[in-house]
Amino acid sequence: MEAIRPVPRTLLRDRAYEAIRDAIVAGDIAPGAVVRDAELAGLLGLSRAPVRDAFARLVDDGLLESKPQSYTRVTPLVAADVRDAAAVVGAMHELVTRVAVPRLLAAHIDAMRDSNTRFADAVGRGDVGGALRADDELHDVLVRVGGNRAAAATIARYGPLIRRLERRRFAEGGNCRSAGLHDELIDACADGDVDRAVRVTAEIWRGLEDLADGPDDSEGSEALDLSDVGADTGSSGSSDSD
């Protein structure tokens, strides 16, 4: 039985964090909705401890807000917060692009082109989730090759704030012009033109900052939709211990 070892609690915390974060970003848990650790723990097949840990991380990320002994709820979409996050994340992408471009191999360029093809196809179908996943995969090539762990952590932390607004804007019929800019970025990367790649990266992220130029969510009460939370966690209803 040496192959059977306890599941590290950090994995359970991470699983809870990722599932709740993704549900918030997708809008399955609406802005302003109150969330309860016991309810989400039951849906995720976990005890309350990793869910409480996830709540603490999501408060730090700006996706939840908490009033002790009162409530924990999803933050509203606030334009100023998204603009701030986009400015920071954009700066990190410019940094990793500058470092990554001289290191890129042909396989990296091919992966970026493949991601952009899937991105454009998803946009054409109105598949917002697919488009954002392909967009993440394209830019992740540069993040990985750049190798700056601090930049990668900052992007991972604040990216969901931006993605939440992107989903909302696209669902409202917003236009997406990034496929053409992606082509420009990839061409610059293929040519080894660092300055041009950084300029295009900056333009892409300025466009994302512009997405915030719209009305904020009201902070009125909204229904909590938990139907999809935990759907992709692989949970079989088993529980961990506190």
Side-chain angles (χ1 to χ4, degrees), residues 202-220:
E203 185 175 354
I204 290 170
W205 286 93
R206 278 196 300 272
L208 292 176
E209 289 183 59
D210 291 343
L211 282 177
D213 292 334
D216 294 339
D217 279 334
S218 66
E219 295 193 35

Side-chain angles (χ1 to χ4, degrees), residues 81-168:
D81 292 344
V82 176
R83 280 194 295 269
D84 289 347
V88 171
V89 172
M92 294 299 100
H93 275 289
E94 290 178 46
L95 186 156
V96 299
T97 297
R98 186 171 296 281
V99 174
V101 170
R103 302 176 179 177
L104 292 171
L105 305 176
H108 297 131
I109 301 298
D110 290 344
M112 293 173 72
R113 292 196 191 282
D114 179 66
S115 294
N116 199 33
T117 296
R118 288 184 284 104
F119 174 85
D121 289 345
V123 170
R125 297 193 311 272
D127 178 4
V128 176
L132 295 181
R133 284 191 297 274
D135 183 71
D136 281 339
E137 290 167 7
L138 188 157
H139 292 286
D140 280 349
V141 172
L142 295 169
V143 173
R144 290 196 307 273
V145 174
N148 187 315
R149 295 176 64 182
T154 301
I155 291 168
R157 178 174 181 179
Y158 292 108
L161 283 172
I162 304 163
R163 288 310 195 202
R164 187 163 64 133
L165 182 63
E166 283 184 277
R167 283 180 175 271
R168 171 66 63 85

Side-chain angles (χ1 to χ4, degrees), residues 5-219:
R5 299 180 179 179
V7 176
R9 288 185 56 79
T10 54
L11 296 182
L12 299 178
R13 295 188 186 103
D14 290 345
R15 193 176 79 183
Y17 169 79
E18 291 167 3
I20 299 168
R21 178 201 63 196
D22 292 349
I24 292 171
V25 171
D28 295 327
I29 308 178
V34 173
V35 292
R36 298 175 178 83
D37 54 8
E39 188 174 9
L40 287 173
L43 288 167
L44 293 170
L46 301 172
S47 75
R48 295 167 67 179
V51 174
R52 287 194 296 265
D53 289 337
F55 280 6
R57 290 176 63 183
L58 291 163
V59 168
D60 288 341
D61 291 351
L63 292 173
L64 291 180
E65 56 188 5
S66 181
K67 182 177 180 181
Q69 308 303 319
S70 182
Y71 62 78
T72 300
R73 66 184 180 186
V74 178
T75 55
L77 282 166
V78 178
D81 292 344
V82 176
R83 280 194 295 269
D84 289 347
V88 171
V89 172
M92 294 299 100
H93 275 289
E94 290 178 46
L95 186 156
V96 299
T97 297
R98 186 171 296 281
V99 174
V101 170
R103 302 176 179 177
L104 292 171
L105 305 176
H108 297 131
I109 301 298
D110 290 344
M112 293 173 72
R113 292 196 191 282
D114 179 66
S115 294
N116 199 33
T117 296
R118 288 184 284 104
F119 174 85
D121 289 345
V123 170
R125 297 193 311 272
D127 178 4
V128 176
L132 295 181
R133 284 191 297 274
D135 183 71
D136 281 339
E137 290 167 7
L138 188 157
H139 292 286
D140 280 349
V141 172
L142 295 169
V143 173
R144 290 196 307 273
V145 174
N148 187 315
R149 295 176 64 182
T154 301
I155 291 168
R157 178 174 181 179
Y158 292 108
L161 283 172
I162 304 163
R163 288 310 195 202
R164 187 163 64 133
L165 182 63
E166 283 184 277
R167 283 180 175 271
R168 171 66 63 85
R169 293 290 186 255
F170 292 160
E172 292 169 348
N175 294 322
C176 180
R177 298 179 296 164
S178 292
L181 288 175
H182 285 163
D183 283 332
E184 293 181 36
L185 173 61
I186 295 167
D187 288 344
C189 290
D191 293 341
D193 190 333
V194 174
D195 290 339
R196 181 157 61 101
V198 172
R199 286 197 300 271
V200 176
T201 298
E203 185 175 354
I204 290 170
W205 286 93
R206 278 196 300 272
L208 292 176
E209 289 183 59
D210 291 343
L211 282 177
D213 292 334
D216 294 339
D217 279 334
S218 66
E219 295 193 35

